[in-house]
């Protein structure tokens, strides 16, 4: 993970989920000027982006959401009749929730957005340790995108991925270790305000946050919280 320059600015790729919310507060501890950028692309629900706007407002971070609807498809997140718990239609080794090209498009869009605002630091919640098996979350992909975007922008683009080598339990620990940032109890914001559930369910607040254990995202989040609690991290 690149080392951030002193007194720099950063743009956080911000979905409103657990990982990107943790990264938002991580960035606020390290950069003087932080902005957040979200994306709509035809996903099943708008709950995450609604929560992203609320979290950014609570943290005092400017937030914008770019509409990429129609640019991405081939996933249970965009084709809403598909089974979220099934293998991907084109690659049974991947989950149905895999969105082909999503992080490549998000990072390219974010790099262009950031460049025009005087920022070349991007922060994302990609993780290759305890994740859903998405190939565009691997370090090798992020490193290649960083090199390509630096060439494309003729600038030193840095992609910071603080969760890359963390398990989901360790991501909960990081949220707890961040403590209070910008007047926010980071762990509580992540637990109560962030949203990960693929089906957008906010009918019940569990110990690990909102959602139901009927989809891989909530199962992973709940499992990580349980492990973090057993280790005394939360």
């Amino acid at each position: 993970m690149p080392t951030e320059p002193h007194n720099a600015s950063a743009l956080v790729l911000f979905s409103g989920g657990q990982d990107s919310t943790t990264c938002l507060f991580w960035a606020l501890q390290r950069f003087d000027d932080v902005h957040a950028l979200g994306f709509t692309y035809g996903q099943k629900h708008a709950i995450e982006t609604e929560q992203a706007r609320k979290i950014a407002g609570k943290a005092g971070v400017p937030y914008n959401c770019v509409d990429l609807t129609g640019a991405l498809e081939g996933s249970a997140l965009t084709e809403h009749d598909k089974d979220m718990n099934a293998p991907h239609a084109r690659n049974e080794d991947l989950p149905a929730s895999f969105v082909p090209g999503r992080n490549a498009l998000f990072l390219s869009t974010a790099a262009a957005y950031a460049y025009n605002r005087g920022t070349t630091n991007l922060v994302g919640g990609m993780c290759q340790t305890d994740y859903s098996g998405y190939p565009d979350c691997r370090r090798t992909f992020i490193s290649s995108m960083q090199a390509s975007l630096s060439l494309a922008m003729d600038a030193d683009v840095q992609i910071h991925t603080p969760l890359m080598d963390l398990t989901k339990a360790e991501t909960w620990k990081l949220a707890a270790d961040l403590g209070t940032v910008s007047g926010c109890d980071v762990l509580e914001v992540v637990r109560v305000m962030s949203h990960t559930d693929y089906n957008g369910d906010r009918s019940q607040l569990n110990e690990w946050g909102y959602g139901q254990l009927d989809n891989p995202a909530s199962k992973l989040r709940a499992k990580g919280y349980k492990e973090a609690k057993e280790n005394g991290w939360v």
Side-chain angles (χ1 to χ4, degrees):
M1 184 173 63
T3 301
E4 62 274 7
H6 183 61
N7 293 332
S9 58
L11 178 71
V12 179
L13 282 73
F14 190 45
S15 70
Q18 175 186 356
D19 293 345
S20 67
T21 299
T22 304
C23 288
L24 180 74
F25 288 102
W26 178 91
L28 282 167
Q29 273 200 343
R30 287 161 176 79
F31 295 92
D32 289 341
D33 183 30
V34 174
H35 288 244
L37 185 68
F39 304 93
T40 57
Y41 54 95
Q43 56 264 59
K44 290 188 71 171
H45 60 81
I47 300 297
E48 269 193 333
T49 54
E50 290 171 5
Q51 292 306 116
R53 194 174 301 279
K54 292 175 183 177
I55 294 166
K58 186 175 180 65
V61 173
Y63 170 80
N64 191 30
C65 193
V66 175
D67 188 356
L68 298 174
T69 302
L72 296 169
E73 56 183 20
S75 167
L77 294 183
T78 55
E79 279 83 70
H80 305 166
D81 58 332
K82 292 183 176 179
D83 181 359
M84 191 67 69
N85 294 291
H88 196 275
R90 292 190 175 275
N91 185 342
E92 63 181 17
D93 293 329
L94 297 175
S97 56
F98 172 60
V99 184
R102 180 172 60 175
N103 279 343
L105 180 58
F106 284 3
L107 286 166
S108 296
T109 303
Y113 183 94
Y115 181 90
N116 287 315
R117 287 156 182 81
T119 301
T120 55
N121 289 294
L122 306 179
V123 180
M126 300 80 175
C127 170
Q128 67 179 11
T129 303
D130 196 359
Y131 69 130
S132 299
Y134 301 155
D136 57 356
C137 286
R138 295 174 296 179
R139 183 184 297 280
T140 183
F141 167 74
I142 299 301
S143 296
S144 70
M145 281 297 293
Q146 179 172 283
S148 294
L149 291 171
S150 294
L151 290 170
M153 304 294 172
D154 192 24
D156 183 21
V157 174
Q158 298 289 310
I159 303 175
H160 306 265
T161 53
L163 312 184
M164 180 58 73
D165 299 311
L166 303 186
T167 65
K168 190 62 71 176
E170 289 168 336
T171 297
W172 279 110
K173 181 180 185 297
L174 175 58
D177 289 347
L178 286 169
T180 300
V181 179
S182 295
C184 300
D185 180 331
V186 178
L187 180 60
E188 272 303 282
V189 170
V190 171
R191 191 181 76 86
V192 178
M193 295 187 70
S194 76
H195 191 88
T196 307
D197 187 272
Y198 282 149
N199 295 316
D201 190 294
R202 288 188 73 80
S203 61
Q204 176 181 332
L205 177 60
N206 307 289
E207 192 174 30
W208 45 268
Y210 283 96
Q212 300 291 332
L213 296 177
D214 59 359
N215 63 93
S218 284
K219 290 176 182 177
L220 184 59
R221 176 171 173 147
K223 177 175 179 287
Y225 189 89
K226 180 182 178 182
E227 292 174 1
K229 187 176 180 180
E230 289 172 349
N231 282 305
W233 294 340
V234 297

